[in-house]
Structures are given as C-alpha cells and as structure tokens.
Amino acid sequence: MLRVMSDTLWSADAQKVTLLNLLDLSAAFDSVDHPLLLLRLQRNFGLTGQVLRWLTSFLNGRIQQIAYAGLVSATHTVFFGVPQGSVLGPLLFNLYTADIHLLVAAHGHVLHQYADDCQVYIATPANKTSSAVDRLTRCLNDVNAWLSTSRLRLNPAKTQIL
C-alpha cells in the first residue's frame, strides 16, 4: 500500500488526480482451480518435471472435515483452493493471477497486488478525469471477465472506485 500512496503523492505533485479502484475478491484462495493453476505454472513459468509433480502432489488429494459443538462431519475431498496459512498459498495465488498485471498494463493502468488484495490506479490531469473513469471502467470489466474465466469473482459490495 505504501507504493500506491507514494505514486498518488507523486501524481499530486505533478498536479494530477489519481483514480483508484480497490478490488475485493470473494473467497479468492478457496476458488483457485487446481488444473488451471498447474497449467499456468507450466505454460507461464516453465515449471515442469519433478517440480510440477511436487506441486501437483501438494494440491491434489487434500481433504477437509468440520468439527463443531462436539460433532464431526464426514471428510470431503478438496478440488479447489490453495492452503491458507501455508507459505506456498499466497505465492501460488499470485502465480495463478499473474496475467492480471498484463491485462491492467494493456489498459495503461498500474496494478498493485499482494495476494488477493488488489488496487488498480491511474493518474490523470483533472480536466481528463471523465475519460480516465471510462478507461478505468473498461479495464475493470476486462479484469472481471478474466477473473470469471479463472473461477474467481469480484465482491461488488466491496469493490470501489475512489
């Protein structure tokens, strides 16, 4: 967030306004599609062989069970998501969503991301704010479409443009 604040202050010094879009992803870590993640790790980052097999083993075959008020549910296989609280969880999520940076950059905007916390922003002269809002909206629509194809979704109640 320090980077976003610094960029905003630099823009203000240059007599520009910064439009900031705060993106909130719903259940992001729980929604990661394992086969799609493994494909992206191979295609985008060149992970193959033993490393890819190790990551496949890390993701596949996970089970979960719920205990509440002295009762325990049956176990269920987990087909989606990266383990929260693990060292690899946020890293795998960032690699899964790395293409968002390319998409946002193609619109001429900046993306700051830490795991599932994302901010898209652009600095513009005050007299061009209206067109910048239109461009930011188009970018958000494209990001939303990309997220949908990746089995992720924005939480519209918490996604804001400032």
Side-chain angles (χ1 to χ4, degrees):
M1 197 65 178
L2 185 58
R3 164 82 190 272
V4 176
M5 180 62 82
S6 176
D7 288 352
T8 301
L9 292 173
W10 277 103
S11 297
D13 286 345
Q15 299 187 356
K16 293 182 177 183
V17 295
T18 299
L19 302 175
L20 174 65
N21 193 345
L22 304 171
L23 305 179
D24 184 78
L25 303 177
S26 298
F29 279 63
D30 296 329
S31 302
V32 172
D33 181 292
H34 293 171
L36 186 53
L37 170 60
L38 294 167
L39 177 67
R40 287 178 180 172
L41 291 173
Q42 186 175 20
R43 186 186 65 211
N44 296 351
F45 301 101
L47 300 181
T48 60
Q50 187 61 34
V51 172
L52 193 61
R53 285 190 294 278
W54 181 78
L55 289 169
T56 301
S57 172
F58 178 74
L59 294 170
N60 292 339
R62 292 188 169 275
I63 58 171
Q64 69 181 14
Q65 185 176 47
I66 298 171
Y68 178 75
L71 301 173
V72 179
S73 73
T75 60
H76 295 278
T77 303
V78 178
F79 297 105
F80 295 94
V82 292
Q84 295 183 43
S86 70
V87 173
L88 283 180
L91 176 62
L92 290 173
F93 184 81
N94 281 343
L95 295 173
Y96 184 70
T97 60
D99 289 343
I100 295 176
H101 284 272
L102 301 173
L103 179 61
V104 170
H107 282 274
H109 302 330
V110 178
L111 174 70
H112 182 268
Q113 179 181 8
Y114 180 76
D116 62 338
D117 186 26
C118 304
Q119 300 89 33
V120 177
Y121 58 99
I122 184 173
T124 186
N127 63 346
K128 297 187 180 186
T129 304
S130 181
S131 66
V133 168
D134 291 341
R135 290 183 12 232
L136 190 60
T137 301
R138 283 193 301 274
C139 179
L140 177 59
N141 290 337
D142 287 350
V143 166
N144 199 26
W146 185 91
L147 290 169
S148 180
T149 63
S150 298
R151 297 185 183 261
L152 299 170
R153 60 190 165 101
L154 288 175
N155 179 347
K158 292 184 179 179
T159 297
Q160 309 172 28
I161 295 180
L162 305 172

